[in-house]
Amino acid sequence: MKRILLTTAAGVLMTMLAVAGTAKPLLAEETENNTDVYLQLDLFTNIFNLIRNKYVEETDASELVEAAISGMLASLDPHSHYLSPEASEEMMVNNKGEFGGLGIEVTLEEGFVKVIAPMDDTPADAAGIEAGDIITHLDGESILGLTLNESVDLMRGPVGSEIVITVVREGESEPFDVTIIRDTIKLTALRGRTEQDAIVLRVIKFNEQTYKNLESAIGEEIEAAGGLENINGIVLDLRNNPGGLLEQAIKVTDAFLEKGEIVSTRPRNLNEGQRFNATPGDLSKGKPIVVLINGGSASASEIVAGALQDHRRAILVGTKTFGKGSVQSVMPLQGDGAITLTTSRYYTPSGRSIQALGVSPDIIVEQPRRNPDEDGENVERPLRSEADLRGRLDNDSLTEDEILQIEQDRERAEKVAELRKSDYQLAYAIDILKGLAALNPN
């Protein structure tokens, strides 16, 4: 025992000597690093003054400084950027649920403006803009080399004005132009409806209204159905949802969990990391859930999908998500501007990061692209059946009630078939809930 203590004491003494011996070089290294920073700042000041005094045209000093800040932030990652006072104010309005523009969520990827997702019922959505589209020109002018804010500013304009966007799309051999009329975007955070005994919750954006909309939509649909016992389950549609507020993603996830971790965040200083856990109370009372995802599902959407998947609370259907596994903090600056700075990564309850990987669905279901037939050719026509034949025999083995039930079931199946034409992934999700309800009738 004594030997162990002595050995330990000797180890401590040696460690103290080692630390003392390295203190001077460490201080010298820190001083050298600070000197390098000051030299770089002097270099910046020199270049700034050269531009102001020697550039061929007169420049605006404040614009130069803003451009330098924007470039510094853009060098970090695609989601860190400077917000002018106007952009900062618009972001606040956006989070509250109303803003002006085309209705496109975009990011900067390798110098190109890439569409994360078009928002539902917006001019961009109506014009056919898709997640993954690359925007190369605006009104015929190349935007390559512009910052994200500069590109977004060019897309803004008076309500009713027209803009031509040149798009490069995977699967298309040539770029093509899309004409969009600008409009005021009044963003509904969430819409609810019932399809084939399934409550469909379309989450459009995670803003301050999302959880409130979710709670009221579930209540209204259950009441309209005559009670939760008449509901097979819930489809949580997160397709083309670009994300939004972290707190709302946590609340939406918590709405369907009784306990357990929802998400954890890890900044550079791990001691400042946070874990967010579910609280008791499941709005769906344990009903089956299918979550629809695709390449336009990003950030907050991926937090919800990843948490529900890890807890085996939902089946994920669709295609791989966008893969944004980082959290941004909005930091106000003097002069009413702000910066959004990537301050941490987030991890799903199982401890996985989805950064650049995305959340993979449990069942991969591609959404078929719409290719309308030209001139009405190749349109499927209903076939004639025995019931259509003149003089056919009646079915005398069934009661009127049984025949009525068969006709109602057939009508419901036809509605699902129609839905499959317009939204194959949603129809697939509803079929899954029907199957689960049949296996577990209670």
Side-chain angles (χ1 to χ4, degrees), residues 75-118:
S75 71
L76 301 174
D77 68 88
H79 308 294
S80 295
H81 52 269
Y82 170 72
L83 297 172
S84 66
E86 295 78 14
S88 179
E89 183 179 357
E90 182 172 337
M91 185 190 67
M92 293 174 63
V93 172
N94 184 1
N95 285 336
K96 290 181 179 178
E98 182 176 330
F99 58 96
L102 302 176
I104 311 175
E105 287 282 345
V106 293
T107 187
L108 201 63
E109 189 172 287
E110 298 181 359
F112 294 97
V113 175
K114 183 176 182 179
V115 176
I116 297 177

Side-chain angles (χ1 to χ4, degrees), residues 111-186:
F112 294 97
V113 175
K114 183 176 182 179
V115 176
I116 297 177
M119 301 171 191
D120 285 358
D121 300 325
T122 63
D125 183 37
I129 297 297
E130 297 182 3
D133 284 349
I134 302 293
I135 299 173
T136 62
H137 293 71
L138 297 174
D139 286 331
E141 297 291 329
S142 174
I143 57 173
L144 183 62
L146 298 183
T147 66
L148 186 63
N149 285 341
E150 288 171 338
S151 299
V152 171
D153 284 342
L154 290 174
M155 290 188 225
R156 298 190 182 107
V159 172
S161 62
E162 182 179 280
I163 185 171
V164 178
I165 294 179
T166 303
V167 171
V168 173
R169 179 176 294 167
E170 185 177 356
E172 298 288 342
S173 58
E174 297 288 339
F176 57 92
D177 290 339
V178 179
T179 300
I180 306 179
I181 307 298
R182 297 180 177 95
D183 199 357
T184 299
I185 310 300
K186 292 187 177 181

Side-chain angles (χ1 to χ4, degrees), residues 87-402:
S88 179
E89 183 179 357
E90 182 172 337
M91 185 190 67
M92 293 174 63
V93 172
N94 184 1
N95 285 336
K96 290 181 179 178
E98 182 176 330
F99 58 96
L102 302 176
I104 311 175
E105 287 282 345
V106 293
T107 187
L108 201 63
E109 189 172 287
E110 298 181 359
F112 294 97
V113 175
K114 183 176 182 179
V115 176
I116 297 177
M119 301 171 191
D120 285 358
D121 300 325
T122 63
D125 183 37
I129 297 297
E130 297 182 3
D133 284 349
I134 302 293
I135 299 173
T136 62
H137 293 71
L138 297 174
D139 286 331
E141 297 291 329
S142 174
I143 57 173
L144 183 62
L146 298 183
T147 66
L148 186 63
N149 285 341
E150 288 171 338
S151 299
V152 171
D153 284 342
L154 290 174
M155 290 188 225
R156 298 190 182 107
V159 172
S161 62
E162 182 179 280
I163 185 171
V164 178
I165 294 179
T166 303
V167 171
V168 173
R169 179 176 294 167
E170 185 177 356
E172 298 288 342
S173 58
E174 297 288 339
F176 57 92
D177 290 339
V178 179
T179 300
I180 306 179
I181 307 298
R182 297 180 177 95
D183 199 357
T184 299
I185 310 300
K186 292 187 177 181
L187 186 60
T188 302
L190 183 146
R191 295 189 181 94
R193 71 182 194 274
T194 298
E195 291 274 1
Q196 304 295 309
D197 297 331
I199 296 177
V200 180
L201 300 172
R202 171 74 180 115
V203 188
I204 302 163
K205 180 79 173 177
F206 287 92
N207 62 26
E208 293 176 7
Q209 306 301 318
T210 305
Y211 177 75
K212 292 178 183 177
N213 292 167
L214 173 82
E215 191 175 30
S216 60
I218 289 178
E220 289 169 5
E221 296 304 319
I222 290 175
E223 184 179 358
L228 195 58
E229 65 275 10
N230 298 320
I231 296 295
N232 288 337
I234 290 175
V235 177
L236 192 63
D237 188 352
L238 300 177
R239 292 174 298 175
N240 294 331
N241 184 313
L245 300 177
L246 173 63
E247 63 160 307
Q248 289 293 316
I250 293 168
K251 286 184 176 181
V252 168
T253 309
D254 193 4
F256 303 109
L257 293 176
E258 291 285 355
K259 60 181 181 179
E261 184 178 309
I262 293 173
V263 67
S264 62
T265 61
R266 301 180 198 174
R268 184 167 64 184
N269 182 355
L270 295 180
N271 292 329
E272 297 175 359
Q274 291 181 288
R275 292 182 183 275
F276 300 91
N277 297 311
T279 55
D282 178 353
L283 295 182
S284 68
K285 306 299 182 185
K287 285 287 184 178
I289 299 173
V290 173
V291 177
L292 286 174
I293 54 174
N294 65 5
S297 307
S299 192
S301 298
E302 295 172 292
I303 288 175
V304 176
L308 293 178
Q309 185 181 53
D310 280 2
H311 283 287
R312 300 181 183 273
R313 182 65 186 90
I315 298 172
L316 271 55
V317 172
T319 55
K320 183 173 70 69
T321 62
F322 186 77
K324 180 179 176 292
S326 61
V327 178
Q328 285 67 45
S329 298
V330 180
M331 301 178 178
L333 303 174
Q334 59 184 18
D336 296 329
I339 63 170
T340 60
L341 188 66
T342 301
T343 52
S344 61
R345 298 173 185 268
Y346 71 77
Y347 295 80
T348 69
S350 64
R352 57 177 169 149
S353 168
I354 59 90
Q355 174 62 27
L357 296 175
V359 177
S360 297
D362 299 303
I363 303 173
I364 297 176
V365 179
E366 299 277 354
Q367 183 83 302
R369 295 202 173 193
R370 297 179 186 176
N371 294 313
D373 298 309
E374 296 180 4
D375 302 325
E377 294 181 3
N378 301 321
V379 176
E380 185 179 351
R381 293 178 174 83
L383 299 175
R384 286 168 60 82
S385 68
E386 174 72 13
D388 298 317
L389 299 180
R390 184 180 299 173
R392 61 170 173 76
L393 296 174
D394 291 331
N395 188 320
D396 58 0
S397 64
L398 299 174
T399 66
E400 290 185 4
D401 287 342
E402 288 172 330

